[in-house]
Amino acid sequence: MFGPIKRDPTSVYEQVLKQLTAAIMHGDLKPGDKLPSERSLAEMMGVSRTSLREALKMLAAAGMVNIKHGQGVFISEKGSPFNVLIKFAGKVNIDDDTVRDLFELRKLLETQNAVWACQRAENSVIDNLSEIVEQTLNSLNDTKDDLVILARQDSEFHTKLAEATGNKVIVRVMHDLLDLLNDVRCQTLSIPDRPLKSLNEHKEIVEALKSRSVDLVKEKMLVHLNNVEAELLKNR
Amino acid sequence: MFGPIKRDPTSVYEQVLKQLTAAIMHGDLKPGDKLPSERSLAEMMGVSRTSLREALKMLAAAGMVNIKHGQGVFISEKGSPFNVLIKFAGKVNIDDDTVRDLFELRKLLETQNAVWACQRAENSVIDNLSEIVEQTLNSLNDTKDDLVILARQDSEFHTKLAEATGNKVIVRVMHDLLDLLNDVRCQTLSIPDRPLKSLNEHKEIVEALKSRSVDLVKEKMLVHLNNVEAELLKNR
DNA sequence: GGAGATGAATTGTTTGGACCAATTAAAAGA
DNA sequence: TCTTTTAATTGGTCCAAACAATTCATCTCC
């Protein structure tokens, strides 16, 4: 799968980059797959470890791979070759103004997502969303694990909603936008009260979707996002 | 400007990344600025060239810096950590469905941009937009250079409009979205007729902005984008 | 004096090897 | 059987040397 690198026109790390992205795009490397170790992969390609590492760092910056110290390098979930919202998770300080800008974008995208989902989604998709919410409500049992469950539910809810629009580009943008905001949230102290409120607001959004009322869906989503933003900005 | 790196919790290249992005976002490093050479910068920060280079490669992948062999490292124009496009890798073939998805996103973003610009922008900003359009109209003289001028005008117009919203994240997203669509356009045969039509539509949008009519602005923008999309999909 | 060739200095690129640090799994001990 | 220790694997960091592209001062020749 990894032939030797031709040492012709462009630089070595660019060639490595090209070969790796090609492997990902062609499907030889699927999301979740683990790459060979840096040492062996470098040897396979006939390049130095340094050059390989620089290419890997670029892929990591683009969100296409996930580098874990002591474990290995993994292909990112949904690692799309284009329209990746690049971020340096936890490596950039994001000020309040930027958070507001991000939320303004998010409100624009997600209210429209909700509308499109309302107009386009099959009943089964909405039922699936409903199940996610109900399932989370039932699995809560006052343990400290609840926060983890609620965080995952939140991410899953908004992702599923984006998928319900049928627009794959938007799914990708939303995914990365949520990731970025999640990192921001993790930089602050955890908020034990907010997640449960969110879950209830999610429930209201689902109910609005079931009623197929565009205006109601839009309103519920906007209220939800405003609350999340306010809570996040308060604890910084 | 570049103090020594603290060697505490996170990895070295992350620290370098953090310090450099902070310097760029804070304005210490402005677009076009040339960074100190790798050797001296590494010494300033008290890190190895290897770590510094890996951080620089990540910044390059994110489009924040421009690395030129034999010349140096330069801060990119309008560099920010919020990129939609990956700067490396050979051009990806984008199918029609994806183009439609991209345009759906673009319509959502740009109609709202127009609305925000209508509500928020100073008169001087709108006058500036107007000047761009008029200036282009005057500089046309039936030469083959016209296409280049018109292409640049188109990009400048939409970028300025995004800037008029005051949302820096959206500016970045729009910039890269336009870049991506521009690549798509370049993959097709050039369309000699469309650009001039676009210019006139731009003029109509500016007129609508001057009237401060939100509904009119929204409508004009949507018509414009629908035309561009139709023309682009037709020639593929 | 000016155009082109030469070569040194600067800058990013690549390499090999050594060692540090996080993770995992096997081995040893209780 | 469970816990602790150890060793192996993997990414992270550093260094020193050589390679390659670019720039620019200098030299040569017309």
Side-chain angles (χ1 to χ4, degrees):
Chain A
M1 195 192 306
F2 298 109
I5 293 289
K6 295 178 183 175
R7 196 71 54 79
D8 308 333
T10 57
S11 53
V12 175
Y13 70 87
E14 281 180 37
Q15 306 259 351
V16 176
L17 208 50
K18 210 161 188 172
Q19 183 157 340
L20 287 175
T21 51
I24 295 175
M25 285 160 56
H26 187 268
D28 295 331
L29 293 172
K30 280 161 285 188
D33 280 358
K34 181 182 176 183
L35 265 62
S37 72
E38 290 181 354
R39 291 169 177 82
S40 53
L41 187 51
E43 192 181 9
M44 284 187 225
M45 291 183 165
V47 301
S48 70
R49 215 184 134 204
T50 311
S51 296
L52 171 64
R53 276 178 61 82
E54 290 186 358
L56 288 176
K57 283 288 151 60
M58 297 183 78
L59 287 170
M64 296 182 69
V65 300
N66 206 348
I67 304 177
K68 295 181 182 177
H69 190 168
Q71 302 182 41
V73 180
F74 304 85
I75 307 296
S76 296
E77 298 298 325
K78 305 185 179 181
S80 165
F82 60 95
N83 62 54
V84 173
L85 210 154
I86 292 178
K87 56 170 172 48
F88 303 114
K91 300 163 192 123
V92 177
N93 291 321
I94 299 180
D95 54 68
D96 284 7
D97 283 339
T98 304
V99 171
R100 288 192 189 88
D101 283 353
L102 285 168
F103 259 94
E104 188 168 73
L105 174 61
R106 184 181 174 184
K107 286 175 201 170
L108 175 61
L109 288 174
E110 288 228 76
T111 54
Q112 189 61 50
N113 280 354
V115 169
W116 280 329
C118 189
Q119 294 169 335
R120 301 171 181 175
E122 308 276 340
N123 283 330
S124 59
V125 176
I126 295 179
D127 289 341
N128 181 251
L129 268 175
S130 183
E131 279 175 27
I132 292 174
V133 176
E134 294 298 334
Q135 195 173 328
T136 309
L137 274 172
N138 294 334
S139 61
L140 292 183
N141 41 11
D142 295 326
T143 71
K144 64 179 189 295
D145 296 335
D146 284 359
L147 274 180
V148 182
I149 294 176
L150 286 167
R152 186 170 49 226
Q153 193 273 345
D154 186 73
S155 175
E156 192 178 357
F157 178 83
H158 289 282
T159 301
K160 288 277 183 187
L161 189 66
E163 287 172 357
T165 67
N167 187 317
K168 292 180 180 175
V169 172
I170 289 183
V171 171
R172 183 68 211 174
V173 173
M174 276 309 305
H175 179 270
D176 293 337
L177 185 58
L178 289 171
D179 252 17
L180 185 56
L181 288 170
N182 188 52
D183 288 337
V184 173
R185 194 183 59 193
C186 289
Q187 286 174 4
T188 76
L189 298 172
S190 69
I191 309 151
D193 198 22
R194 181 64 221 163
L196 193 55
K197 287 184 183 172
S198 279
L199 183 57
N200 286 320
E201 287 165 4
H202 287 180
K203 190 171 180 178
E204 289 191 44
I205 293 172
V206 170
E207 294 304 320
L209 280 172
K210 285 182 179 172
S211 75
R212 297 285 182 179
S213 164
V214 168
D215 291 337
L216 188 60
V217 164
K218 204 180 215 171
E219 181 198 330
K220 293 292 181 186
M221 175 59 83
L222 198 54
V223 168
H224 172 53
L225 293 179
N226 278 327
N227 287 340
V228 174
E229 179 186 17
E231 197 80 19
L232 193 147
L233 284 172
K234 198 166 66 181
N235 299 64
R236 278 172 71 93
Chain B
M1 194 192 308
F2 298 108
I5 294 289
K6 294 178 184 176
R7 195 71 54 80
D8 307 331
T10 57
S11 53
V12 176
Y13 73 87
E14 284 181 13
Q15 307 258 351
V16 176
L17 206 51
K18 203 164 188 171
Q19 184 157 338
L20 287 175
T21 51
I24 295 175
M25 293 179 77
H26 186 267
D28 294 332
L29 292 173
K30 281 161 284 189
D33 280 358
K34 181 182 176 182
L35 264 62
S37 72
E38 290 181 355
R39 292 169 177 81
S40 53
L41 187 51
E43 193 180 10
M44 284 187 224
M45 290 182 165
V47 301
S48 70
R49 269 187 80 195
T50 310
S51 297
L52 172 63
R53 277 178 60 81
E54 290 186 356
L56 287 177
K57 283 285 152 59
M58 296 184 77
L59 287 170
M64 296 180 68
V65 300
N66 207 347
I67 304 177
K68 295 180 181 176
H69 190 167
Q71 302 182 43
V73 180
F74 304 85
I75 306 297
S76 297
E77 300 297 325
K78 306 182 180 175
S80 104
F82 310 104
N83 283 36
V84 176
L85 254 197
I86 299 177
K87 300 297 178 187
F88 53 79
K91 305 298 181 186
V92 184
N93 286 327
I94 300 179
D95 56 72
D96 285 7
D97 283 339
T98 304
V99 171
R100 279 185 258 272
D101 283 352
L102 285 168
F103 259 94
E104 187 167 73
L105 174 60
R106 183 181 175 184
K107 287 176 201 169
L108 174 61
L109 288 174
E110 288 227 76
T111 54
Q112 188 62 47
N113 279 355
V115 169
W116 280 329
C118 189
Q119 295 167 334
R120 301 171 181 174
E122 308 275 340
N123 282 331
S124 59
V125 176
I126 295 179
D127 289 341
N128 181 251
L129 268 175
S130 182
E131 279 175 27
I132 293 174
V133 176
E134 294 298 334
Q135 196 172 328
T136 309
L137 275 171
N138 295 334
S139 62
L140 292 183
N141 42 11
D142 295 325
T143 71
K144 63 179 190 295
D145 297 335
D146 283 359
L147 274 180
V148 182
I149 294 176
L150 286 167
R152 187 171 47 226
Q153 194 273 345
D154 186 72
S155 175
E156 192 178 359
F157 178 82
H158 289 283
T159 301
K160 288 276 183 188
L161 190 65
E163 287 172 357
T165 67
N167 187 317
K168 292 180 180 175
V169 173
I170 289 183
V171 171
R172 186 68 214 175
V173 173
M174 275 310 305
H175 179 269
D176 293 337
L177 185 57
L178 289 171
D179 253 14
L180 182 55
L181 288 171
N182 188 51
D183 286 341
V184 173
R185 194 184 59 192
C186 290
Q187 285 174 4
T188 78
L189 297 173
S190 69
I191 310 151
D193 198 22
R194 181 67 221 162
L196 193 56
K197 287 183 184 172
S198 279
L199 184 56
N200 286 320
E201 286 165 4
H202 287 180
K203 189 171 180 176
E204 287 191 46
I205 293 171
V206 170
E207 294 305 320
L209 280 172
K210 285 181 179 172
S211 76
R212 297 287 182 178
S213 164
V214 169
D215 291 335
L216 188 60
V217 164
K218 204 180 215 172
E219 181 197 329
K220 293 292 182 187
M221 176 59 84
L222 199 54
V223 168
H224 172 52
L225 294 179
N226 278 328
N227 288 338
V228 174
E229 180 186 17
E231 197 79 21
L232 192 144
L233 284 172
K234 197 165 65 182
N235 298 64
R236 280 170 69 90

